[in-house]
Amino acid sequence: DYTVTTLNVSAGRCYSNNIKTAGNAITTANVTGGILDGTQSSEARTWATVNPDGGQILVDDSVVVITTLDAPAGRKSLTVADL
């Protein structure tokens, strides 16, 4: 039961399955490459702000709530696909 204040994902795969009973599991996630994977736990949790500037973000929206999904910086392609 803890909060990750700032999570930076630039390569590889990061499994973010931590929960915070009262509050955000992640305050800010900066994804510039690699994979931020929130699909390995069925525990409900909230990621406050996600900044996708590269890589992939894997979530089940019935489990992970993203409060703010910032627009990618610059010219980017954003793809949404079933897992």
Side-chain angles (χ1 to χ4, degrees), residues 25-49:
I26 299 174
T27 304
T28 303
N30 301 307
V31 183
T32 57
I35 301 169
L36 173 55
D37 189 341
T39 65
Q40 301 301 307
S41 172
S42 60
E43 292 285 336
R45 55 203 179 277
T46 301
W47 297 351
T49 302

Side-chain angles (χ1 to χ4, degrees), residues 17-76:
N17 300 309
N18 65 299
I19 60 168
K20 179 66 177 167
T21 309
N24 299 315
I26 299 174
T27 304
T28 303
N30 301 307
V31 183
T32 57
I35 301 169
L36 173 55
D37 189 341
T39 65
Q40 301 301 307
S41 172
S42 60
E43 292 285 336
R45 55 203 179 277
T46 301
W47 297 351
T49 302
V50 176
N51 301 311
D53 287 318
Q56 293 181 320
I57 300 165
L58 306 178
V59 295
D60 178 343
D61 71 346
S62 67
V63 176
V64 177
V65 173
I66 298 175
T67 307
T68 303
L69 180 63
D70 285 346
R75 294 174 52 109
K76 304 285 184 186

